[in-house]
Amino acid sequence: MKRNNILFIGLIGLLAFGCTKDKSTGITQPLPAFDVAGVPDTINLYTHQDTLRISPDVAGETTYDYYWTNISANFVSLYGNRNKTDTLAFTKNLELPVMLDPGQYYLIFNVRDKRSGVVKLKEIIFNVSTRNENGWYLIKDNNGKTDVDFIYKTGRIDNWIAFNNKGKSLDGNAVKGLFTADLRTTLTSADLFGGLVVLSENDAAIYRVSNGAQVYGFDSMFFAKPANRRPQNVFQPMPSGNLMLLNDNRAYCMTKGALFTSLPQTYTPAPLAVVGAMDLGWDIKTKSIFCYNGTAYAALAKNGESLKNMTADLLWMGGYPGPRSVALTLFRLPDQRGMLYKLNTLYGFLLGSDSLVMKRDTLAPTHGLMKASKIAGNYDSDYIYYAIGNNIYLTDVTTTTERLQVTLPEGETVTSIQHIKYPVPATNVVYTTDYLAIASYKDGRYKVWLHKISSTGTIQPLAQPTYEGDGRINTIIYMEKGIGSRVF
């Protein structure tokens, strides 16, 4: 809201209440004296962290009534104001937890003379900030509940979901987490916000990053709620106006501002999916790679015939959209050998304009990838990282040779491997964060190891973990200025 609009509203209030009429004489009475101290001109606080406390000193305080009002500075016009004025309290002293969305507000101390009814106003510029926009979001489970540990520069908030939602976490172990930008609650809403999508075995929800509040739950995010609560995957397509969700081997697409709608039952999608110009999925029934294309499917063209009706099982997929635009897929053949594909995921190649398969290799049954517990790729190059026990290995897709990278402490179980890059890869982007993130678990506690990566793909050893906490890590997201990393 423009400041002069606020002052105009205040002026209207003063004109309405600034004088009273003496019915016996017809003489207008002057404004009563008004002396207030102890009220700052500006207040800066953090939402969901701080408490707003003000104790004004009012001369002749027993002769007045008091109330506090608040209005957002996101103002359109006097007659088109989308934001109502909120009355916070009818007391002189104010003490309230800050639960507002980040932004600028105008906090008004209203002092009403009991005898004359005159109301005078004291305006305070109220800046509400959030710590949520910069730091590490660690999606985890602990004792059958899914939550998030948020670690920022000067501290941390454990169980961030419960902290911001009256103690309520998601039921069941963690499945995946994802940052998605430009969410809106209606198709015409101008209020765009970043969201954290969190899936557990039995539940799903979308939380507003700025204040941690749940915007959608499983029961409210679908046009037609699925019969079974079995979330399996969520991914952000390159056309970021959409969001994709897999539940109980069915695919759903959300046009942001609307709700998830079911795709046709052309395929029975496996939980695995990766992002390209179109997103790639795996049909359980036909054992075929196919494409997600918004609210529809697209079959691969003739250049993808070797990926249809396969006599193999899909073990892993890794997708690297944007400037690189490739996907890696790993299959197990009936004789226990592996088949490793590198695919071009640019739009034209997926539609058949040129060679889709960039490379194909057969792996021996003894290759480490065929017995790995966790697998991840590298956005920049054709490197694959994987865990066998507490050992982390690297395979170069070009040669398929294996190299031991690091050995974690004895007894640690690897629960996640990800390449974290920020900002989201695009042309001419300068990256501020670039790590191979490895999460491990032992005796009810997690460790997160953020390894730097060399130009040859090798990872720098660490003497100790970067972060530790209670529970078991599933997904790691890094965020700056309210925008989160993609999950690779």
Side-chain angles (χ1 to χ4, degrees), residues 43-62:
I43 297 176
N44 302 298
L45 294 176
Y46 285 102
T47 187
H48 285 71
Q49 298 285 318
D50 295 333
T51 298
L52 175 62
R53 293 184 177 93
I54 309 175
S55 299
D57 183 10
V58 182
E61 64 178 57
T62 59

PDB file of all heavy atoms in Angstrom, residues 43-62:
ATOM      1  N   ILE A  43       9.090  -1.225  13.912  1.00  0.00           N
ATOM      2  CA  ILE A  43       9.362  -2.487  14.596  1.00  0.00           C
ATOM      3  C   ILE A  43       9.747  -3.521  13.542  1.00  0.00           C
ATOM      4  O   ILE A  43       9.074  -3.637  12.501  1.00  0.00           O
ATOM      5  CB  ILE A  43       8.137  -2.982  15.387  1.00  0.00           C
ATOM      6  CG1 ILE A  43       7.777  -1.993  16.497  1.00  0.00           C
ATOM      7  CG2 ILE A  43       8.393  -4.364  15.978  1.00  0.00           C
ATOM      8  CD1 ILE A  43       6.522  -2.359  17.253  1.00  0.00           C
ATOM      9  N   ASN A  44      10.810  -4.268  13.781  1.00  0.00           N
ATOM     10  CA  ASN A  44      11.260  -5.330  12.881  1.00  0.00           C
ATOM     11  C   ASN A  44      11.284  -6.654  13.645  1.00  0.00           C
ATOM     12  O   ASN A  44      12.049  -6.796  14.608  1.00  0.00           O
ATOM     13  CB  ASN A  44      12.662  -5.024  12.343  1.00  0.00           C
ATOM     14  CG  ASN A  44      12.728  -3.710  11.605  1.00  0.00           C
ATOM     15  OD1 ASN A  44      12.060  -3.522  10.594  1.00  0.00           O
ATOM     16  ND2 ASN A  44      13.538  -2.781  12.098  1.00  0.00           N
ATOM     17  N   LEU A  45      10.464  -7.619  13.213  1.00  0.00           N
ATOM     18  CA  LEU A  45      10.385  -8.906  13.903  1.00  0.00           C
ATOM     19  C   LEU A  45      10.315 -10.049  12.885  1.00  0.00           C
ATOM     20  O   LEU A  45       9.994  -9.830  11.707  1.00  0.00           O
ATOM     21  CB  LEU A  45       9.151  -8.958  14.822  1.00  0.00           C
ATOM     22  CG  LEU A  45       9.137  -8.002  16.025  1.00  0.00           C
ATOM     23  CD1 LEU A  45       7.815  -8.116  16.765  1.00  0.00           C
ATOM     24  CD2 LEU A  45      10.298  -8.286  16.969  1.00  0.00           C
ATOM     25  N   TYR A  46      10.576 -11.272  13.375  1.00  0.00           N
ATOM     26  CA  TYR A  46      10.493 -12.470  12.543  1.00  0.00           C
ATOM     27  C   TYR A  46       9.171 -13.184  12.803  1.00  0.00           C
ATOM     28  O   TYR A  46       8.766 -13.375  13.958  1.00  0.00           O
ATOM     29  CB  TYR A  46      11.636 -13.435  12.854  1.00  0.00           C
ATOM     30  CG  TYR A  46      12.978 -13.001  12.305  1.00  0.00           C
ATOM     31  CD1 TYR A  46      13.938 -12.423  13.122  1.00  0.00           C
ATOM     32  CD2 TYR A  46      13.275 -13.193  10.961  1.00  0.00           C
ATOM     33  CE1 TYR A  46      15.176 -12.039  12.613  1.00  0.00           C
ATOM     34  CE2 TYR A  46      14.498 -12.820  10.438  1.00  0.00           C
ATOM     35  CZ  TYR A  46      15.443 -12.238  11.270  1.00  0.00           C
ATOM     36  OH  TYR A  46      16.666 -11.874  10.759  1.00  0.00           O
ATOM     37  N   THR A  47       8.514 -13.594  11.711  1.00  0.00           N
ATOM     38  CA  THR A  47       7.287 -14.362  11.853  1.00  0.00           C
ATOM     39  C   THR A  47       7.579 -15.759  12.380  1.00  0.00           C
ATOM     40  O   THR A  47       8.631 -16.346  12.096  1.00  0.00           O
ATOM     41  CB  THR A  47       6.533 -14.448  10.512  1.00  0.00           C
ATOM     42  OG1 THR A  47       5.259 -15.070  10.728  1.00  0.00           O
ATOM     43  CG2 THR A  47       7.288 -15.247   9.470  1.00  0.00           C
ATOM     44  N   HIS A  48       6.640 -16.302  13.156  1.00  0.00           N
ATOM     45  CA  HIS A  48       6.750 -17.630  13.755  1.00  0.00           C
ATOM     46  C   HIS A  48       8.010 -17.776  14.619  1.00  0.00           C
ATOM     47  O   HIS A  48       8.433 -18.889  14.916  1.00  0.00           O
ATOM     48  CB  HIS A  48       6.720 -18.730  12.686  1.00  0.00           C
ATOM     49  CG  HIS A  48       5.355 -18.968  12.124  1.00  0.00           C
ATOM     50  ND1 HIS A  48       4.728 -18.069  11.293  1.00  0.00           N
ATOM     51  CD2 HIS A  48       4.494 -19.998  12.267  1.00  0.00           C
ATOM     52  CE1 HIS A  48       3.545 -18.532  10.953  1.00  0.00           C
ATOM     53  NE2 HIS A  48       3.373 -19.705  11.537  1.00  0.00           N
ATOM     54  N   GLN A  49       8.599 -16.658  15.022  1.00  0.00           N
ATOM     55  CA  GLN A  49       9.790 -16.686  15.859  1.00  0.00           C
ATOM     56  C   GLN A  49       9.661 -15.727  17.048  1.00  0.00           C
ATOM     57  O   GLN A  49       9.986 -16.090  18.173  1.00  0.00           O
ATOM     58  CB  GLN A  49      11.027 -16.275  15.039  1.00  0.00           C
ATOM     59  CG  GLN A  49      11.360 -17.183  13.891  1.00  0.00           C
ATOM     60  CD  GLN A  49      11.990 -18.475  14.358  1.00  0.00           C
ATOM     61  OE1 GLN A  49      12.837 -18.487  15.238  1.00  0.00           O
ATOM     62  NE2 GLN A  49      11.576 -19.585  13.779  1.00  0.00           N
ATOM     63  N   ASP A  50       9.184 -14.517  16.768  1.00  0.00           N
ATOM     64  CA  ASP A  50       9.197 -13.450  17.762  1.00  0.00           C
ATOM     65  C   ASP A  50       7.796 -13.163  18.304  1.00  0.00           C
ATOM     66  O   ASP A  50       6.786 -13.569  17.714  1.00  0.00           O
ATOM     67  CB  ASP A  50       9.773 -12.165  17.160  1.00  0.00           C
ATOM     68  CG  ASP A  50      11.234 -12.312  16.768  1.00  0.00           C
ATOM     69  OD1 ASP A  50      11.916 -13.152  17.384  1.00  0.00           O
ATOM     70  OD2 ASP A  50      11.680 -11.596  15.855  1.00  0.00           O
ATOM     71  N   THR A  51       7.766 -12.435  19.407  1.00  0.00           N
ATOM     72  CA  THR A  51       6.521 -11.955  20.002  1.00  0.00           C
ATOM     73  C   THR A  51       6.503 -10.431  19.950  1.00  0.00           C
ATOM     74  O   THR A  51       7.499  -9.781  20.299  1.00  0.00           O
ATOM     75  CB  THR A  51       6.390 -12.429  21.458  1.00  0.00           C
ATOM     76  OG1 THR A  51       6.361 -13.868  21.476  1.00  0.00           O
ATOM     77  CG2 THR A  51       5.104 -11.905  22.088  1.00  0.00           C
ATOM     78  N   LEU A  52       5.395  -9.900  19.487  1.00  0.00           N
ATOM     79  CA  LEU A  52       5.208  -8.445  19.421  1.00  0.00           C
ATOM     80  C   LEU A  52       4.805  -7.948  20.811  1.00  0.00           C
ATOM     81  O   LEU A  52       3.755  -8.313  21.329  1.00  0.00           O
ATOM     82  CB  LEU A  52       4.131  -8.118  18.387  1.00  0.00           C
ATOM     83  CG  LEU A  52       3.697  -6.662  18.254  1.00  0.00           C
ATOM     84  CD1 LEU A  52       4.855  -5.779  17.813  1.00  0.00           C
ATOM     85  CD2 LEU A  52       2.536  -6.554  17.266  1.00  0.00           C
ATOM     86  N   ARG A  53       5.649  -7.113  21.397  1.00  0.00           N
ATOM     87  CA  ARG A  53       5.383  -6.579  22.740  1.00  0.00           C
ATOM     88  C   ARG A  53       5.537  -5.060  22.726  1.00  0.00           C
ATOM     89  O   ARG A  53       6.605  -4.548  22.361  1.00  0.00           O
ATOM     90  CB  ARG A  53       6.343  -7.172  23.766  1.00  0.00           C
ATOM     91  CG  ARG A  53       6.176  -8.665  24.035  1.00  0.00           C
ATOM     92  CD  ARG A  53       7.107  -9.125  25.146  1.00  0.00           C
ATOM     93  NE  ARG A  53       6.918 -10.529  25.473  1.00  0.00           N
ATOM     94  CZ  ARG A  53       7.616 -11.519  24.934  1.00  0.00           C
ATOM     95  NH1 ARG A  53       8.552 -11.251  24.023  1.00  0.00           N
ATOM     96  NH2 ARG A  53       7.388 -12.777  25.289  1.00  0.00           N
ATOM     97  N   ILE A  54       4.461  -4.355  23.109  1.00  0.00           N
ATOM     98  CA  ILE A  54       4.497  -2.892  23.217  1.00  0.00           C
ATOM     99  C   ILE A  54       3.741  -2.487  24.477  1.00  0.00           C
ATOM    100  O   ILE A  54       2.625  -2.964  24.718  1.00  0.00           O
ATOM    101  CB  ILE A  54       3.864  -2.207  21.986  1.00  0.00           C
ATOM    102  CG1 ILE A  54       4.453  -2.747  20.686  1.00  0.00           C
ATOM    103  CG2 ILE A  54       4.047  -0.689  22.057  1.00  0.00           C
ATOM    104  CD1 ILE A  54       3.796  -2.198  19.440  1.00  0.00           C
ATOM    105  N   SER A  55       4.343  -1.605  25.266  1.00  0.00           N
ATOM    106  CA  SER A  55       3.704  -1.100  26.493  1.00  0.00           C
ATOM    107  C   SER A  55       3.721   0.426  26.469  1.00  0.00           C
ATOM    108  O   SER A  55       4.650   1.071  26.981  1.00  0.00           O
ATOM    109  CB  SER A  55       4.437  -1.620  27.737  1.00  0.00           C
ATOM    110  OG  SER A  55       4.403  -3.024  27.792  1.00  0.00           O
ATOM    111  N   PRO A  56       2.715   1.053  25.841  1.00  0.00           N
ATOM    112  CA  PRO A  56       2.697   2.507  25.729  1.00  0.00           C
ATOM    113  C   PRO A  56       2.515   3.188  27.091  1.00  0.00           C
ATOM    114  O   PRO A  56       1.896   2.635  28.008  1.00  0.00           O
ATOM    115  CB  PRO A  56       1.490   2.777  24.827  1.00  0.00           C
ATOM    116  CG  PRO A  56       1.162   1.466  24.196  1.00  0.00           C
ATOM    117  CD  PRO A  56       1.574   0.427  25.181  1.00  0.00           C
ATOM    118  N   ASP A  57       3.036   4.369  27.184  1.00  0.00           N
ATOM    119  CA  ASP A  57       2.838   5.217  28.360  1.00  0.00           C
ATOM    120  C   ASP A  57       1.928   6.360  27.924  1.00  0.00           C
ATOM    121  O   ASP A  57       2.338   7.237  27.154  1.00  0.00           O
ATOM    122  CB  ASP A  57       4.186   5.739  28.854  1.00  0.00           C
ATOM    123  CG  ASP A  57       4.060   6.566  30.119  1.00  0.00           C
ATOM    124  OD1 ASP A  57       2.958   6.566  30.707  1.00  0.00           O
ATOM    125  OD2 ASP A  57       5.050   7.220  30.505  1.00  0.00           O
ATOM    126  N   VAL A  58       0.666   6.335  28.392  1.00  0.00           N
ATOM    127  CA  VAL A  58      -0.338   7.318  27.967  1.00  0.00           C
ATOM    128  C   VAL A  58      -0.679   8.211  29.156  1.00  0.00           C
ATOM    129  O   VAL A  58      -1.089   7.716  30.218  1.00  0.00           O
ATOM    130  CB  VAL A  58      -1.611   6.631  27.437  1.00  0.00           C
ATOM    131  CG1 VAL A  58      -2.619   7.678  26.968  1.00  0.00           C
ATOM    132  CG2 VAL A  58      -1.262   5.661  26.308  1.00  0.00           C
ATOM    133  N   ALA A  59      -0.506   9.514  28.971  1.00  0.00           N
ATOM    134  CA  ALA A  59      -0.867  10.458  30.028  1.00  0.00           C
ATOM    135  C   ALA A  59      -2.371  10.417  30.265  1.00  0.00           C
ATOM    136  O   ALA A  59      -3.163  10.432  29.313  1.00  0.00           O
ATOM    137  CB  ALA A  59      -0.428  11.871  29.633  1.00  0.00           C
ATOM    138  N   GLY A  60      -2.787  10.302  31.534  1.00  0.00           N
ATOM    139  CA  GLY A  60      -4.213  10.221  31.870  1.00  0.00           C
ATOM    140  C   GLY A  60      -4.847   8.972  31.299  1.00  0.00           C
ATOM    141  O   GLY A  60      -5.963   9.013  30.773  1.00  0.00           O
ATOM    142  N   GLU A  61      -4.162   7.840  31.429  1.00  0.00           N
ATOM    143  CA  GLU A  61      -4.561   6.627  30.708  1.00  0.00           C
ATOM    144  C   GLU A  61      -5.952   6.122  31.081  1.00  0.00           C
ATOM    145  O   GLU A  61      -6.599   5.458  30.274  1.00  0.00           O
ATOM    146  CB  GLU A  61      -3.530   5.521  30.933  1.00  0.00           C
ATOM    147  CG  GLU A  61      -3.386   5.041  32.363  1.00  0.00           C
ATOM    148  CD  GLU A  61      -2.372   3.914  32.472  1.00  0.00           C
ATOM    149  OE1 GLU A  61      -1.209   4.103  32.073  1.00  0.00           O
ATOM    150  OE2 GLU A  61      -2.771   2.835  32.953  1.00  0.00           O
ATOM    151  N   THR A  62      -6.448   6.439  32.286  1.00  0.00           N
ATOM    152  CA  THR A  62      -7.766   5.928  32.681  1.00  0.00           C
ATOM    153  C   THR A  62      -8.905   6.637  31.964  1.00  0.00           C
ATOM    154  O   THR A  62     -10.049   6.182  32.034  1.00  0.00           O
ATOM    155  CB  THR A  62      -7.951   6.075  34.199  1.00  0.00           C
ATOM    156  OG1 THR A  62      -7.839   7.461  34.558  1.00  0.00           O
ATOM    157  CG2 THR A  62      -6.929   5.250  34.954  1.00  0.00           C
TER     158      THR A  62
END
